[in-house]
Amino acid sequence: MGSTVIDIPQGEGVVPCGKGKTKKFLGICCRQMVLFLRETKSNRHGMRRVIHSIKVGIALVSVSLLFLLDPVYKQVGDNAMWAIMTVVLIFEFFAGATLSKGLNRGIGTILGGGVGCLAAALAQAVGGVGKAIIVGITVFIFGAAATYSRQVPKIKRKFDYGAMIFILTFNMVVVSGLRAEQVFEIARDRLAAVAMGFGVCLFISLLVFPIWASDELHDSLVSRFQLLAISLEGFSKEYFGNVNENEKKTGFNFSSKCKSVLHTKTKDETLVNFARWEPWHGKFGFFYPWGKYLKIGEDLRDLATIILSLKPCLQPSESSSLGQAVKEPCEAIVASQARMLSELGESIKNMKKCESQDKISLKLKSMRQELSLVASPSTVGTHHSAKTEGLGFTSFVYSMMEMIEKMEELAKQVEQLGQLGGFS
């Protein structure tokens, strides 16, 4: 084969790597880093993602030192890898999630290792062909039982990860016991490595800029009260002809905020499960009534559904033909409900008791009476000549009645949360 010679002209086509270019490159990198940090600082969730990533990095470096420190490595040996695996598997975004997975892993490892050691010891005592038979039977029984338990809703919700780790540890210990005589030492060393990894995760997750699932749940619930209040105000403006020019240009759509509230059930259940594992911190103590957050969230989703049902009930053409005797009371009722939602949300946000249930019931009863007067046949017949229009307005009034009932139930749940949660 022939060779090809490429001429490179001196100074042409060669990228210089002098100090000037290096400084320019470093300057660009610094500017990009500053912009990234500014954007992240303005975005609270983005900042927390960065913090979580740094914490995971610190945890991995800490457990990696187990391989470098001779005294520790002599104790656990190659089982130190289990500490690194523990960090990778259990370090979650929220402190409650990390604690939940860590405890599940610890319980699963202890139970799986303990039962596996007993099964391996029994198999070794029998010896011969019976050894393999006993191992096979115990693997089948405990594997099937643990797998079935993972399908039970209550166990799956809290201990699914622990059951999986039990299956994994039990099988590894009992099968390794077929060949290794030191099965108890293997189980002990692996448990020690897992405990080290869990300890590092727990220390960093709970003490170094902790990210609490309870705070996320609390803020998320409060924001939904505000979203629904804004949606009601937007509905009032859109259908009673009070939309200003700026809102027309921006194209405000109250239904989009309601839809965002509807898709929160899974998030609530997940956060409540994590929050229940978290220790006492800030304003949330042990046995805080997290179950009430699920009930309040369900009521808010029902309210969002009712608000969305208002859209086809009352068309703009119909609302413009309403007389002042109908229009003004309806606007006042919608505004009162929006204000009540904001007050309930502020009560939960500040953890302060709102108005008593009796006062709220009186206000809602007054709203119900006003709606009954507005929807009376004489009032509706005066302002609606077309039958379809009358039906549309009747549907609107019915939806408003449903909303008042749901508001009463929501206020009751918030009051109970205040009592159980120790609101001031």
Side-chain angles (χ1 to χ4, degrees):
M1 293 177 64
S3 59
T4 304
V5 179
I6 302 175
D7 293 331
I8 302 177
Q10 292 185 0
E12 295 181 10
V14 180
V15 180
C17 296
K19 292 183 179 180
K21 287 290 183 180
T22 304
K23 288 182 179 179
K24 186 177 180 181
F25 175 74
L26 291 174
I28 293 171
C29 290
C30 289
R31 282 196 295 271
Q32 292 297 326
M33 183 62 71
V34 170
L35 288 173
F36 172 75
L37 290 174
R38 283 179 180 175
E39 290 177 2
T40 306
K41 190 175 181 180
S42 61
N43 184 358
R44 179 171 171 263
H45 189 66
M47 192 65 180
R48 294 196 302 173
R49 284 201 299 264
V50 172
I51 292 172
H52 172 68
S53 303
I54 294 171
K55 286 163 65 176
V56 172
I58 294 171
L60 287 171
V61 170
S62 301
V63 294
S64 297
L65 294 176
L66 295 177
F67 281 101
L68 303 177
L69 300 175
D70 289 335
V72 180
Y73 185 76
K74 287 177 181 178
Q75 289 293 325
V76 295
D78 291 334
N79 286 309
M81 184 59 70
W82 285 73
I84 297 174
M85 288 175 60
T86 300
V87 171
V88 173
L89 291 173
I90 75 168
F91 207 126
E92 295 287 342
F93 186 79
F94 295 111
T98 301
L99 188 58
S100 169
K101 290 191 77 173
L103 290 175
N104 268 275
R105 186 172 178 82
I107 293 170
T109 302
I110 292 171
L111 291 178
V115 177
C117 286
L118 292 176
L122 178 63
Q124 287 177 359
V126 173
V129 180
K131 182 177 182 180
I133 294 174
I134 289 176
V135 168
I137 292 173
T138 54
V139 166
F140 172 78
I141 292 174
F142 286 103
T147 302
Y148 179 80
S149 70
R150 294 182 65 191
Q151 301 174 59
V152 178
K154 289 185 178 180
I155 296 177
K156 183 177 180 63
R157 188 164 52 248
K158 289 185 177 181
F159 305 107
D160 180 64
Y161 185 69
M164 184 182 70
I165 294 299
F166 170 83
I167 297 171
L168 176 65
T169 307
F170 173 79
N171 280 273
M172 293 187 72
V173 170
V174 76
V175 172
S176 64
L178 282 171
R179 299 296 178 186
E181 298 297 331
Q182 307 298 328
V183 62
F184 289 100
E185 291 183 11
I186 293 172
R188 183 199 64 194
D189 292 342
R190 287 180 182 176
L191 181 60
V194 169
M196 290 177 189
F198 176 52
V200 170
C201 289
L202 199 62
F203 178 82
I204 295 175
S205 181
L206 297 182
L207 300 179
V208 181
F209 298 104
I211 302 172
W212 304 109
S214 50
D215 289 341
E216 179 73 15
L217 176 64
H218 189 78
D219 295 341
S220 174
L221 190 73
V222 169
S223 68
R224 273 173 263 164
F225 279 92
Q226 304 305 323
L227 285 174
L228 291 182
I230 293 169
S231 297
L232 275 176
E233 291 170 355
F235 166 80
S236 178
K237 290 178 181 180
E238 187 173 341
Y239 288 95
F240 292 114
N242 296 325
V243 182
N244 56 42
E245 292 299 322
N246 290 333
E247 289 170 338
K248 285 181 180 178
K249 289 178 181 178
T250 55
F252 175 79
N253 185 8
F254 73 88
S255 60
S256 62
K257 297 186 181 297
C258 289
K259 288 176 182 176
S260 67
V261 174
L262 290 176
H263 306 292
T264 56
K265 183 176 181 179
T266 304
K267 179 182 178 182
D268 283 354
E269 290 175 349
T270 303
L271 289 175
V272 164
N273 187 31
F274 293 156
R276 283 173 171 159
W277 287 94
E278 290 177 351
W280 190 326
H281 65 279
K283 49 197 174 184
F284 305 115
F286 293 118
F287 309 112
Y288 190 78
W290 296 115
K292 283 294 176 184
Y293 279 66
L294 293 177
K295 293 180 180 178
I296 292 172
E298 192 65 37
D299 287 340
L300 290 174
R301 284 188 288 274
D302 291 342
L303 262 178
T305 304
I306 296 171
I307 294 172
L308 284 173
S309 71
L310 293 173
K311 191 171 185 177
C313 289
L314 192 60
Q315 299 299 325
S317 59
E318 183 182 345
S319 64
S320 61
S321 64
L322 294 175
Q324 290 298 111
V326 176
K327 187 176 179 181
E328 288 183 359
C330 287
E331 281 187 279
I333 290 170
V334 173
S336 297
Q337 289 186 330
R339 189 163 52 251
M340 189 175 293
L341 275 172
S342 296
E343 290 173 357
L344 291 174
E346 286 295 317
S347 169
I348 296 177
K349 179 181 179 180
N350 301 320
M351 299 189 77
K352 292 183 178 180
K353 290 182 180 179
C354 58
E355 290 181 307
S356 65
Q357 177 66 28
D358 295 335
K359 289 184 179 180
I360 292 175
S361 297
L362 286 174
K363 287 183 180 180
L364 294 172
K365 185 178 179 181
S366 175
M367 292 181 198
R368 220 180 263 115
Q369 290 174 348
E370 287 183 32
L371 270 178
S372 301
L373 291 173
V374 168
S376 62
S378 58
T379 308
V380 174
T382 304
H383 298 289
H384 296 280
S385 56
K387 186 177 180 180
T388 54
E389 291 182 353
L391 286 174
F393 181 71
T394 303
S395 299
F396 164 75
V397 172
Y398 177 76
S399 295
M400 292 299 293
M401 288 287 193
E402 274 191 320
M403 193 182 301
I404 289 173
E405 289 179 7
K406 188 56 63 177
M407 286 286 292
E408 191 167 7
E409 184 179 340
L410 181 63
K412 182 180 178 182
Q413 294 293 339
V414 173
E415 185 178 29
Q416 290 177 359
L417 174 64
Q419 291 172 352
L420 296 173
F423 287 10
S424 58

